[in-house]
């Protein structure tokens, strides 16, 4: 038994300190959630072992991390929510590259633009504790892509699941002393899934019949996505490395029953170039320069819905009644240096980005075409420093600060709508702000660590929050940005404790966040009719997460987690909308490194704290059970599972949102479904 304990202890240490686990030898689509090791903020994170799930995208996969939820609009493209913070309150990066979706309805959230097969690990910082990037107000999600290992290698992976759910990928790599490269391809496809009641997500009761799917379209594909990527690395001199990464993703026919339209296509190009040098001088430990560019083209219409076959469509002669074509383009760069100072380590950097967002909407005449997103440029230049030092044997301190200057401008003139609803003709704004944080880690004994941090981050209003402009038919509310919005400021305090024992690992974190000028949606009474718009309110968020891991005899392992967020609009004294309820997860697993079996329960409490002014509805609580088994034989890995074994009908609270094109349908989660994954590596 003692031997077993030692083995388990070693496994935990391996998980914690290398981000790898005994399970990752079994897993194919590996998702490692862990913090950056070298800084204190790791202590503000949850560290998760690699897991095998039938998740279809990053947004769905991250739900295993306490405090993270997602907004569901269809079968794929789930949007990440951290402790109730979402959209522009979060930064989601791919290898340090800032990327934005094009759809004004967030059909293609940031994390949609990468395939699982590209990913090596995902790090998360919850709260305003990132000074190395502008705008990490509620948190930062860093997706890191795979690098080649030495020599020739590769992996072929195929996942099949219920509703013709296919996810297959192939990659091949070569790693030499001077040069390395990766080449990869992935394909994802699915039909619309059925919920626990046996109805397809395309067959949900719609408040308006014309928003439903046309006969024959409800069981046609839910998405098909091709992704191609390549990487080239050059080790120019000793300790000098140049890396060039390119990727293209072509997504077609993605359905969103939650909205009034579906995406015809969503195409992404990504380019990332980094140059890194270390050991330049005695003082400079590392110098890194990065340049990136990405572009997303997105086209959506109602061609699969009943509305497209109405008289208006016949009148216009198109296959749709409404359409929106959108483009997003982001480029940016960063120069960062680690400098050794006598008492610790200092990181300094400068970064810049330019984000452009443009969208044209088409509605039946007399409205016709209009610039829904009026070609908005957002530029940001910032500088930062972070200083990290040990104090004595058991204390560690990190302090960080950054300064940003942002400029935003709407090139197309939609001031007709701004002046109607907000009495302003402004379409240009500049903001400057400072932020920073202090974090302390105290380890009085080898197994226990206490941590505390205070952070302050400001982010400017998003281009949509300031300048979106959508005139709708007379009976429906318009949708208009508020050019007068102030930047959002988060002052947050986090503290917690981590215990790392031989057979037990646990972590508890609490946070309290005081937000000034939080941006919320509201109904604005206009002179002729109402509009949905944005306003600043003061808000309070608090809550926390608990994560427990217990290693039992006979290769058994228990895992449990719980998270909760409470949030209030202090200005109007009411609950904030879209806040997740109490959620939890328990799992028991047998794992002898060659095969495993796991039974898992996932549950959520009901959410009764809703914003009734926005007609947000309460969501009942739910619980589901999942089973999975897996084995490893030589270079072959296999796992299979049944998700939602009891075929429960349930909804995530965050599947409700109030977008300009919301159909009124709450999208249910998937009913009982089966999956099988087979992988072979060489
Ligand atoms: Cu869209």
């Amino acid at each position: 038994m003692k031997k077993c304990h030692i083995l388990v202890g070693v496994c935990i240490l391996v998980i914690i300190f290398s981000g790898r686990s005994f399970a990752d030898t079994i897993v194919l689509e590996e998702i490692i959630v862990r913090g950056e090791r070298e800084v204190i903020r790791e202590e503000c994170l949850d560290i998760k072992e690699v897991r095998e799930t039938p998740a279809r995208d990053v947004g769905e996969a991250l739900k295993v991390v306490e405090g993270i939820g997602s907004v569901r609009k269809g079968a794929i493209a789930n949007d990440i929510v951290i402790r109730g913070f979402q959209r522009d309150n979060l930064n989601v990066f791919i290898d340090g590259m800032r990327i934005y979706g094009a759809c004004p309805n967030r059909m293609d959230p940031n994390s949609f633009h990468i395939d699982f097969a590209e990913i090596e690990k995902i790090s998360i910082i919850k709260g305003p504790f990132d000074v190395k990037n502008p705008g990490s107000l509620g948190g930062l999600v860093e997706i890191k892509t795979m690098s080649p290992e030495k020599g020739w290698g590769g992996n072929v992976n195929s996942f099949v699941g219920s509703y013709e759910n296919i996810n297959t990928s192939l990659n091949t790599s070569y790693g030499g002393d001077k040069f390395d490269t990766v080449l990869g391809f992935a394909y994802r496809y699915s039909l619309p899934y059925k919920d626990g009641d046996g109805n397809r997500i395309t067959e949900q009761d719609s408040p308006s019949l014309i928003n439903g799917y046309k006969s024959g379209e409800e069981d046609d594909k839910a998405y098909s996505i091709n992704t191609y990527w390549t990487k080239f690395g050059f080790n120019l001199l000793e300790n000098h490395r140049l890396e060039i990464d390119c990727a293209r993703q072509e997504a077609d026919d993605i359905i969103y029953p939650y909205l009034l339209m579906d995406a015809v296509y969503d195409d992404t190009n990504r380019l990332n170039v980094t140059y890194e040098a270390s050991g330049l001088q005695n003082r400079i430990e590392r110098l890194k320069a990065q340049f990136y560019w990405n572009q997303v083209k997105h086209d959506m219409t109602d061609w699969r819905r009943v509305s497209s076959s109405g008289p208006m469509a016949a009148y216009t002669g198109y296959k749709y009644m409404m359409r929106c074509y959108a483009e997003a383009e982001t480029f940016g760069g960063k120069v960062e240096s680690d400098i050794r100072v006598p008492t610790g380590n200092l990181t300094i950097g400068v970064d810049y980005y330019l984000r452009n967002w443009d969208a044209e909407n088409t509605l039946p005449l007399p409205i016709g075409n209009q610039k829904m997103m009026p070609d908005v440029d957002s530029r940001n230049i910032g500088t930062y420093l972070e200083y990290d030092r040990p104090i004595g044997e058991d204390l560690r301190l990190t302090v960080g600060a950054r300064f940003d200057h942002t400029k935003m401008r709407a090139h197309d003139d939609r001031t007709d709508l701004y002046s109607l609803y907000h009495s302003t003709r402004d379409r240009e704004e500049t903001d400057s702000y400072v932020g920073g944080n202090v974090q302390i880690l105290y380890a009085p004994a080898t197994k226990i660590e206490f941590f505390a941090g205070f952070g302050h981050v400001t982010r400017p209003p998003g281009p949509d929050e300031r300048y979106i402009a959508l005139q709708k038919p007379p009976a429906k509310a318009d949708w208009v940005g508020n050019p007068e919005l102030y930047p959002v400021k988060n002052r947050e305090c986090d503290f917690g404790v981590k215990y790392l024992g031989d057979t037990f690992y646990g972590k508890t974190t609490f946070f309290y966040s005081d937000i000034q000028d939080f941006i919320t949606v509201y109904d604005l009474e206009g002179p002729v009719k109402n509009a949905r718009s944005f306003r600043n309110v003061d808000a309070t968020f608090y809550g926390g997460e608990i994560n427990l891991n217990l290693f039992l005899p006979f290769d058994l392992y228990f895992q449990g987690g719980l998270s909760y967020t409470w949030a209030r609009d202090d200005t109007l004294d009411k609950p904030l909308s879209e806040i997740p309820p109490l959620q939890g997860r328990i799992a028991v697993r047998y794992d002898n490194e060659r095969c495993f079996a796991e039974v898992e329960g996932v549950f959520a409490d009901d959410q009764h704290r809703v914003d009734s002014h926005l007609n947000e509805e309460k969501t009942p609580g739910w619980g589901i059970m999942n089973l999975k088994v897996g084995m490893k034989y030589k270079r072959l890995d296999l796992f299979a599972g049944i998700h939602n074994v009891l075929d429960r009908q349930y909804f995530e609270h965050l599947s409700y949102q109030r977008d300009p094109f919301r159909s009124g349908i709450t999208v249910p989660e998937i009913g009982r479904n089966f999956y099988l994954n087979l992988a072979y590596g060489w």
Side-chain angles (χ1 to χ4, degrees), residues 53-111:
T53 71
R56 294 164 186 238
D57 59 22
V58 172
E60 200 177 342
L62 285 181
K63 285 200 287 193
V64 301
V65 181
E66 283 80 28
I68 300 193
S70 71
V71 176
R72 179 181 287 288
K73 303 186 183 79
I76 201 166
N78 295 289
D79 204 357
I80 300 168
V81 181
I82 300 180
R83 292 172 167 173
F85 292 95
Q86 52 171 299
R87 302 170 72 104
D88 279 4
N89 291 315
L90 302 178
N91 272 332
V92 180
F93 295 158
I94 300 169
D95 290 329
M97 169 168 70
R98 185 173 285 273
I99 183 163
Y100 290 100
C103 180
N105 284 354
R106 283 185 85 83
M107 281 178 175
D108 59 335
N110 334 48
S111 60

Side-chain angles (χ1 to χ4, degrees), residues 102-108 256 259 261-263 298-300 324:
C103 180
N105 284 354
R106 283 185 85 83
M107 281 178 175
D108 59 335
Y256 300 89
L259 301 166
M261 295 190 248
D262 302 300
H298 176 88
D299 191 8
M300 59 174 166
C324 186

